[in-house]
Coordinates of all heavy atoms in Angstrom, one line a residue:
N61 N -26.3 -1.9 15.9 CA -26.8 -2.6 14.7 C -25.8 -3.2 13.8 O -26.0 -4.4 13.3 CB -27.6 -1.5 13.9 CG -29.0 -1.2 14.6 OD1 -29.4 -1.8 15.4 ND2 -29.5 0.1 14.2
R62 N -24.6 -2.6 13.7 CA -23.5 -3.1 12.9 C -23.0 -4.4 13.6 O -22.8 -5.3 12.8 CB -22.4 -2.1 12.9 CG -21.3 -2.4 11.9 CD -20.1 -1.5 11.9 NE -20.6 -0.1 11.5 CZ -20.6 0.8 12.4 NH1 -20.1 0.6 13.7 NH2 -20.9 2.0 12.0
T63 N -22.9 -4.4 14.8 CA -22.4 -5.7 15.5 C -23.4 -6.8 15.3 O -22.9 -7.9 15.1 CB -22.4 -5.4 17.0 OG1 -21.4 -4.4 17.2 CG2 -21.8 -6.6 17.8
A64 N -24.8 -6.5 15.4 CA -25.7 -7.5 15.2 C -25.7 -8.0 13.8 O -25.7 -9.3 13.5 CB -27.1 -7.0 15.5
D65 N -25.5 -7.1 12.9 CA -25.4 -7.5 11.4 C -24.2 -8.4 11.2 O -24.3 -9.4 10.4 CB -25.3 -6.3 10.5 CG -26.7 -5.4 10.5 OD1 -27.7 -6.1 10.8 OD2 -26.7 -4.3 10.1
H66 N -23.1 -8.1 11.8 CA -21.9 -8.8 11.6 C -22.0 -10.1 12.2 O -21.5 -11.2 11.7 CB -20.6 -8.0 12.2 CG -20.2 -6.8 11.3 ND1 -19.1 -6.3 11.6 CD2 -20.8 -6.3 10.3 CE1 -18.9 -5.3 10.7 NE2 -20.0 -5.3 9.9
T67 N -22.7 -10.3 13.4 CA -22.9 -11.6 13.9 C -23.7 -12.5 13.1 O -23.3 -13.6 12.9 CB -23.6 -11.4 15.4 OG1 -22.8 -10.5 16.2 CG2 -23.9 -12.8 16.0
R68 N -24.8 -11.9 12.4 CA -25.5 -12.7 11.5 C -24.7 -13.1 10.2 O -24.8 -14.2 9.8 CB -26.7 -11.9 11.1 CG -27.8 -11.9 12.2 CD -29.2 -11.4 11.6 NE -29.1 -10.0 11.1 CZ -29.2 -8.9 11.9 NH1 -29.6 -9.0 13.2 NH2 -29.2 -7.7 11.4
Q69 N -23.9 -12.1 9.8 CA -23.1 -12.4 8.6 C -22.2 -13.5 8.9 O -21.9 -14.4 8.0 CB -22.4 -11.1 8.3 CG -21.6 -11.0 7.0 CD -21.0 -9.8 6.7 OE1 -21.0 -8.8 7.6 NE2 -20.3 -9.7 5.6
I70 N -21.4 -13.5 10.0 CA -20.5 -14.5 10.3 C -21.2 -15.9 10.5 O -20.6 -16.9 10.0 CB -19.7 -14.2 11.6 CG1 -18.7 -13.0 11.4 CG2 -18.9 -15.4 12.2 CD1 -18.2 -12.3 12.7
E71 N -22.3 -15.9 11.1 CA -23.0 -17.1 11.3 C -23.4 -17.7 9.9 O -23.4 -19.0 9.7 CB -24.2 -17.0 12.2 CG -23.9 -16.8 13.6 CD -23.1 -18.0 14.1 OE1 -23.5 -19.2 13.9 OE2 -22.1 -17.8 14.8
E72 N -23.8 -16.9 9.0 CA -24.2 -17.3 7.7 C -23.0 -17.9 7.0 O -23.1 -19.0 6.3 CB -24.8 -16.2 6.8 CG -26.2 -15.7 7.3 CD -26.6 -14.5 6.5 OE1 -25.9 -14.0 5.7 OE2 -27.8 -14.0 6.9
I73 N -21.8 -17.3 7.1 CA -20.6 -17.9 6.5 C -20.2 -19.2 7.1 O -19.8 -20.1 6.4 CB -19.5 -16.8 6.7 CG1 -19.8 -15.6 5.8 CG2 -18.1 -17.4 6.1 CD1 -18.8 -14.5 6.0
K74 N -20.3 -19.3 8.4 CA -20.1 -20.6 9.1 C -21.0 -21.7 8.7 O -20.6 -22.9 8.7 CB -20.1 -20.3 10.6 CG -18.9 -19.6 11.1 CD -18.8 -19.5 12.6 CE -17.6 -18.8 13.2 NZ -17.6 -18.8 14.7
N75 N -22.2 -21.4 8.3 CA -23.2 -22.4 7.9 C -23.1 -22.6 6.3 O -23.9 -23.5 6.0 CB -24.7 -21.8 8.3 CG -24.8 -21.9 9.7 OD1 -24.2 -22.7 10.5 ND2 -25.7 -21.0 10.3
A76 N -22.3 -21.8 5.7 CA -22.3 -22.1 4.2 C -21.5 -23.4 3.9 O -20.7 -23.9 4.8 CB -21.5 -20.9 3.5
N77 N -21.7 -24.0 2.8 CA -21.0 -25.2 2.3 C -19.6 -24.8 1.7 O -19.4 -23.7 1.2 CB -21.9 -25.9 1.3 CG -23.2 -26.4 1.9 OD1 -23.2 -26.9 3.0 ND2 -24.2 -26.2 1.1
A78 N -18.8 -25.8 1.7 CA -17.5 -25.6 1.0 C -17.8 -25.3 -0.4 O -18.7 -25.8 -1.0 CB -16.6 -26.9 1.1
L79 N -17.0 -24.4 -1.1 CA -17.0 -23.9 -2.5 C -18.2 -22.8 -2.6 O -18.3 -22.2 -3.7 CB -17.3 -25.0 -3.5 CG -16.3 -26.1 -3.4 CD1 -16.7 -27.1 -4.6 CD2 -14.8 -25.7 -3.6
D80 N -19.0 -22.5 -1.5 CA -19.8 -21.4 -1.6 C -19.0 -20.1 -1.6 O -18.2 -19.9 -0.7 CB -20.9 -21.4 -0.4 CG -21.9 -22.4 -0.6 OD1 -21.9 -23.0 -1.7 OD2 -22.6 -22.7 0.4
T81 N -19.5 -19.1 -2.4 CA -18.9 -17.7 -2.3 C -19.6 -17.0 -1.3 O -20.9 -17.2 -1.2 CB -18.9 -17.1 -3.6 OG1 -20.3 -17.0 -4.1 CG2 -18.0 -17.8 -4.8
V82 N -19.0 -16.1 -0.5 CA -19.7 -15.4 0.6 C -19.3 -13.9 0.6 O -18.3 -13.5 0.0 CB -19.2 -16.1 2.0 CG1 -19.8 -17.5 2.1 CG2 -17.6 -16.1 2.1
N83 N -20.2 -13.2 1.4 CA -20.0 -11.7 1.4 C -19.3 -11.5 2.7 O -19.8 -11.8 3.8 CB -21.4 -11.1 1.4 CG -21.3 -9.5 1.6 OD1 -20.1 -8.9 1.4 ND2 -22.3 -9.0 2.1
V84 N -18.1 -10.9 2.6 CA -17.3 -10.5 3.9 C -17.2 -8.9 4.1 O -16.4 -8.5 4.8 CB -15.9 -11.2 3.8 CG1 -16.0 -12.6 3.8 CG2 -15.1 -10.6 2.6
T85 N -18.0 -8.2 3.3 CA -17.9 -6.8 3.4 C -18.1 -6.3 4.8 O -19.1 -6.7 5.5 CB -19.0 -6.1 2.4 OG1 -18.8 -6.6 1.1 CG2 -18.9 -4.7 2.4
G86 N -17.2 -5.4 5.2 CA -17.3 -4.8 6.4 C -16.8 -5.5 7.6 O -16.6 -4.9 8.7
L87 N -16.3 -6.8 7.4 CA -15.8 -7.6 8.6 C -14.4 -7.1 8.8 O -13.5 -6.9 7.9 CB -15.8 -9.1 8.2 CG -17.2 -9.6 8.0 CD1 -17.0 -11.2 7.8 CD2 -18.1 -9.5 9.3
S88 N -14.0 -7.0 10.1 CA -12.7 -6.6 10.5 C -11.7 -7.8 10.4 O -12.3 -9.0 10.3 CB -12.8 -6.2 12.0 OG -13.0 -7.3 12.8
D89 N -10.5 -7.6 10.5 CA -9.5 -8.7 10.5 C -9.8 -9.7 11.6 O -9.7 -10.9 11.4 CB -8.1 -8.1 10.6 CG -7.6 -7.5 9.3 OD1 -8.3 -7.6 8.2 OD2 -6.5 -7.0 9.3
E90 N -10.2 -9.2 12.7 CA -10.5 -10.2 13.9 C -11.6 -11.0 13.6 O -11.6 -12.2 13.8 CB -10.6 -9.3 15.1 CG -10.8 -10.2 16.3 CD -11.1 -9.4 17.6 OE1 -11.0 -8.1 17.6 OE2 -11.4 -10.0 18.7
E91 N -12.6 -10.4 13.0 CA -13.9 -11.2 12.6 C -13.5 -12.2 11.5 O -14.0 -13.3 11.4 CB -14.9 -10.2 12.2 CG -15.5 -9.4 13.3 CD -16.5 -8.3 12.9 OE1 -16.1 -7.6 11.8 OE2 -17.4 -8.0 13.6
L92 N -12.8 -11.7 10.5 CA -12.4 -12.6 9.4 C -11.5 -13.9 10.0 O -11.7 -15.0 9.6 CB -11.5 -11.9 8.3 CG -12.3 -11.0 7.4 CD1 -11.4 -10.1 6.5 CD2 -13.2 -11.7 6.5
R93 N -10.6 -13.5 10.9 CA -9.8 -14.6 11.4 C -10.7 -15.7 12.1 O -10.3 -16.8 12.2 CB -8.7 -14.1 12.4 CG -7.8 -15.0 13.1 CD -7.0 -15.8 12.0 NE -6.2 -16.7 12.5 CZ -6.5 -18.0 12.9 NH1 -7.8 -18.4 12.7 NH2 -5.7 -19.0 13.3
S94 N -11.8 -15.2 12.7 CA -12.7 -16.1 13.4 C -13.3 -17.2 12.5 O -13.9 -18.2 12.9 CB -13.8 -15.4 14.1 OG -14.7 -14.9 13.2
L95 N -13.2 -17.0 11.2 CA -13.8 -17.8 10.2 C -12.7 -18.9 9.7 O -13.0 -19.7 8.8 CB -14.3 -17.0 9.0 CG -15.4 -16.1 9.3 CD1 -15.6 -15.2 8.0 CD2 -16.7 -16.9 9.6
F96 N -11.5 -18.8 10.2 CA -10.6 -19.8 10.1 C -10.4 -20.6 11.4 O -9.8 -20.1 12.4 CB -9.1 -19.2 9.8 CG -9.2 -18.4 8.4 CD1 -9.9 -17.3 8.2 CD2 -8.5 -18.9 7.4 CE1 -9.9 -16.7 7.1 CE2 -8.5 -18.3 6.1 CZ -9.2 -17.2 5.9
Y97 N -10.9 -21.8 11.4 CA -11.0 -22.6 12.6 C -11.0 -24.1 12.4 O -11.3 -24.6 11.3 CB -12.3 -22.2 13.5 CG -13.5 -22.5 12.8 CD1 -14.2 -23.7 12.9 CD2 -14.1 -21.6 11.9 CE1 -15.4 -23.9 12.2 CE2 -15.3 -21.8 11.2 CZ -15.9 -23.0 11.4 OH -17.1 -23.2 10.7
S98 N -10.7 -24.9 13.4 CA -10.6 -26.3 13.4 C -11.5 -26.9 14.4 O -11.7 -26.4 15.4 CB -9.1 -26.8 13.5 OG -8.5 -26.4 14.6
S99 N -11.8 -28.2 14.1 CA -12.6 -29.0 15.1 C -12.4 -30.6 14.8 O -11.7 -30.9 13.9 CB -14.1 -28.8 14.8 OG -14.4 -29.1 13.6
E100 N -12.6 -31.2 15.9 CA -12.5 -32.7 15.8 C -13.4 -33.3 14.7 O -14.5 -32.7 14.5 CB -12.6 -33.3 17.1 CG -11.6 -33.0 18.2 CD -11.8 -33.6 19.5 OE1 -12.8 -34.5 19.6 OE2 -11.0 -33.6 20.4
L101 N -13.0 -34.4 14.1 CA -14.0 -35.0 13.2 C -15.1 -35.5 13.9 O -15.1 -36.1 15.0 CB -13.2 -36.2 12.5 CG -12.0 -35.8 11.7 CD1 -11.5 -37.1 11.0 CD2 -12.2 -34.7 10.7
T102 N -16.4 -35.2 13.2 CA -17.6 -35.7 13.8 C -17.9 -37.1 13.3 O -17.4 -37.5 12.3 CB -18.8 -34.8 13.4 OG1 -18.9 -34.9 12.0 CG2 -18.4 -33.4 13.7

Side-chain angles (χ1 to χ4, degrees):
N61 290 340
R62 187 184 303 116
T63 300
D65 289 343
H66 286 189
T67 300
R68 286 192 295 269
Q69 186 178 4
I70 290 171
E71 286 304 310
E72 288 176 359
I73 295 173
K74 288 185 175 181
N75 291 327
N77 296 318
L79 303 185
D80 284 352
T81 56
V82 293
N83 175 26
V84 298
T85 303
L87 296 183
S88 65
D89 283 354
E90 183 179 358
E91 290 169 325
L92 285 171
R93 181 61 181 82
S94 71
L95 296 170
F96 293 71
Y97 59 92
S98 57
S99 59
E100 294 184 1
L101 300 183
T102 65

